[in-house]
Amino acid sequence: MPRIAYFGPQGTFTEQAAGSLAGQGDELVPVDTIASALASVRAGETDAACVPVENSVEGAVPATMDALADGEPVTAVAEAVLPVRFTVLTGQDTEQIRTVASHPHALAQVRGWLAEHLPQAQLVASTSTAAAAVGVQRGEFDAAVTAPVAVTHYPLRVLATDVADVPDAVTRFLLLRRPATPPPPTGADRTSIIAFMPDRTAALAEVLNELAVRGISLTRLDARPTKGRLGEYRFHLDMAGHIAEQRIGDALAALHRRCTNVRFLGSFPRADGVPSTVSATAGDTDFVTAADWVAAIRNGDQA
Ligand SMILES: O=C(O)C(=O)Cc1ccccc1
């Protein structure tokens, strides 16, 4: 039975995302950190791992960026986008609540609500929203900001539901496997890479230009320090399209020439189903016709 490690414990948003991406009969295996979810799939203990990658309010999840960049390569085969509205669980009377724990991304998205409803409470970062609920059960914190599903796992008092400073916030999750042939292109795909850049004037501009001249639309650009010298970054880029498409393959080959290293993180269907736009001169046949023309000249058969 295929096993999917997810960022747990039970009752996280990531469990919900893993459930929506799992096939029938897949076993969902909770692990405590994003790094250990990826470590388990790298080691072959599980077949896939589900982790959060970015949020529409708080941006990238740094732990996921680092775990994807370090260690053996893994590639995304699917993504899920979930609305995030929070439930506040407690074991106390409201007046007694002195500490509220949650994942930093969750705390950042309910700051306004907490300031209004629990102004006396101190905010404490936990490894995940569900870990905060576990902490409340153990008496370590007075309240937890959790996913709605947490209430079924942790029998605590529901202080509030549908809590969100930004009502339409969403989080995107990835399903990652050990590298294999990517899922086939659908016309509405995303390709994800990490570009390790040389420390050179205009290096990022040159990389972006390789995408721009092929009419490739960026869907995400994030930077993380390499943890080496101050000012050295790696860039996490997502683009509309699939590596099986000529313009994407051609662009990645150009980046391979220009960058210190390029890590391919997958080509997979977009959860929003938005089809890629392909400019009039960057379709697959345009590339094939152009390559045939060059080959003909090399062969001495120019028409
Ligand atoms: O802690 C969780 O439940 C997660 O899955 C990470 C997370 C935290 C806040 C919003 C979305 C996902």
Side-chain angles (χ1 to χ4, degrees), residues 7 12-14 52 55 84 86 103 105-106 109 127-130 171 173:
F7 175 42
T12 54
F13 284 101
T14 312
N55 174 269
V84 277
F86 300 92
H103 186 276
H105 265 245
Q109 291 177 65
T127 52
S128 70
T129 57
T171 299
F173 300 83

Side-chain angles (χ1 to χ4, degrees), residues 11 26 28 49-50 60 94 102 123 146 154 172 219 245 267 280:
D26 287 359
L28 300 186
C50 186
T94 309
S102 197
L123 310 190
T146 69
Y154 309 101
R172 193 161 65 88
T219 59
E245 292 172 288
S267 287

Side-chain angles (χ1 to χ4, degrees), residues 110-277:
V110 299
R111 233 176 262 293
W113 187 94
L114 291 173
E116 189 181 333
H117 295 90
L118 296 170
Q120 74 287 2
Q122 195 193 331
L123 310 190
V124 184
S126 58
T127 52
S128 70
T129 57
V134 172
V136 173
Q137 278 191 322
R138 290 188 182 144
E140 293 163 8
F141 321 114
D142 300 325
V145 178
T146 69
V149 67
V151 72
T152 60
H153 299 288
Y154 309 101
L156 293 160
R157 185 166 75 83
V158 176
L159 183 65
T161 55
D162 255 346
V163 175
D165 292 347
V166 179
D168 297 326
V170 293
T171 299
R172 193 161 65 88
F173 300 83
L174 294 178
L175 186 69
L176 298 136
R177 292 182 182 278
R178 292 178 292 284
T181 309
T186 64
D189 304 290
R190 199 185 309 281
T191 291
S192 188
I193 61 164
I194 305 175
F196 298 79
M197 230 60 113
D199 185 8
R200 202 181 60 222
T201 305
L204 176 61
E206 287 171 16
V207 161
L208 297 182
N209 196 44
E210 295 289 358
L211 304 179
V213 295
R214 292 170 180 85
I216 296 168
S217 174
L218 265 188
T219 59
R220 175 185 177 206
L221 173 62
D222 271 303
R224 275 295 277 167
T226 56
K227 303 189 177 77
R229 265 192 321 119
L230 188 65
E232 261 180 18
Y233 291 95
R234 56 170 202 264
F235 292 92
H236 291 239
L237 297 123
D238 285 2
M239 60 201 85
H242 192 290
I243 194 166
E245 292 172 288
Q246 296 286 334
R247 69 186 187 292
I248 301 287
D250 205 55
L252 295 195
L255 297 197
H256 189 264
R257 280 191 284 108
R258 287 190 182 278
C259 296
T260 317
N261 187 20
V262 179
R263 177 167 277 205
F264 176 71
L265 289 181
S267 287
F268 48 87
R270 290 172 68 142
D272 59 13
V274 174
S276 304
T277 49

Side-chain angles (χ1 to χ4, degrees), residues 21-40:
L21 292 167
Q24 263 216 328
D26 287 359
E27 184 190 351
L28 300 186
V29 183
V31 297
D32 281 343
T33 64
I34 287 170
S36 52
L38 293 188
S40 88

